[in-house]
Amino acid sequence: MQANTADEPLFKNINREDSEIQKAHSLVAETIDQFERYVREQRNVTYMAK
């Protein structure tokens, strides 16, 4: 397991009424099907989303 070398914490809590987070969730929802298809088409790679 690799240690977290970034300055940011591993976990973070965010107010669920945060408008920027709501906007990000909306953008993800619009493209999640495309992301899933892309992941299923590829082999021997790792995908991560933040």
Side-chain angles (χ1 to χ4, degrees):
M1 178 189 260
Q2 185 177 6
N4 181 24
T5 57
D7 291 336
E8 61 186 54
L10 285 176
F11 302 100
K12 193 173 181 182
N13 65 349
I14 299 168
N15 185 320
R16 68 178 62 188
E17 295 178 14
D18 183 308
S19 63
E20 290 297 314
I21 294 299
Q22 291 176 353
K23 181 180 176 183
H25 280 248
S26 294
L27 291 171
V28 168
E30 292 174 11
T31 60
I32 194 67
D33 292 336
Q34 179 183 357
F35 178 77
E36 288 179 359
R37 275 194 312 275
Y38 188 71
V39 169
R40 289 183 183 141
E41 292 172 356
Q42 307 301 309
R43 299 289 179 249
N44 298 322
V45 293
T46 300
Y47 292 95
M48 295 177 213
K50 180 177 179 181

